Amino acid sequence: MTISKTGLGFIALGAATLAALTAASAAQAAGPAGDAARGKTVFARCAACHDLNTGAIRMGPSLKGVVGRKAGTFANFSYSAGMKGKGVTWGPDTLDAFLTAPMKYVPGTRMAFPGLSNPQDRADVIAYLKVAAK
């Protein structure tokens, strides 16, 4: 069997199209890219209850070092049984799920916050936490 130059061109075009569609699909599944500067503004809603980087406990635990930390483990904070038992490590995906609907993601949480319904707001807050909550 021989393939003409035209046939090879269609094969290459098909492979390139498939690769582009796969990349676009993966990017869409991952959600919007976060803007840390905008995330600082969105985080203002959280700041009344959460310290960002001094380690102080307010109404909620400090978020210092939250990205990469196991849920319910910040020292000297009295977490709900639901949060202590969640068994997740806070990363972009788990933070996104929690910030979408905290009481659904962690049944029994004492965090009385309805969540952030806007995916861009969540992505921005997560981007901000990555750079500011160290």
Side-chain angles (χ1 to χ4, degrees):
M1 177 172 132
T2 59
I3 299 175
S4 70
K5 289 182 182 180
T6 304
L8 286 175
F10 281 120
I11 291 171
L13 178 63
T17 302
L18 180 61
L21 289 172
T22 301
S25 177
Q28 186 176 20
D35 177 347
R38 188 172 175 284
K40 182 177 183 178
T41 302
V42 179
F43 182 80
R45 301 179 211 174
C46 313
C49 296
H50 294 282
D51 166 72
L52 187 59
N53 55 25
T54 68
I57 294 174
R58 295 183 183 160
M59 189 141 217
S62 174
L63 298 181
K64 180 178 183 173
V66 70
V67 178
R69 184 171 75 211
K70 187 174 177 183
T73 62
F74 190 81
N76 301 318
F77 185 78
S78 179
Y79 288 97
S80 66
M83 186 63 78
K84 283 194 263 185
K86 186 64 180 174
V88 300
T89 299
W90 296 122
D93 292 339
T94 52
L95 283 167
D96 183 65
F98 181 69
L99 291 172
T100 299
M103 292 171 263
K104 286 183 182 178
Y105 189 71
V106 181
T109 185
R110 291 190 300 263
M111 186 165 134
F113 180 71
L116 296 171
S117 60
N118 183 320
Q120 187 64 60
D121 285 349
R122 293 191 308 271
D124 294 344
V125 167
I126 293 165
Y128 179 62
L129 290 173
K130 286 179 181 178
V131 299
K134 296 193 177 223

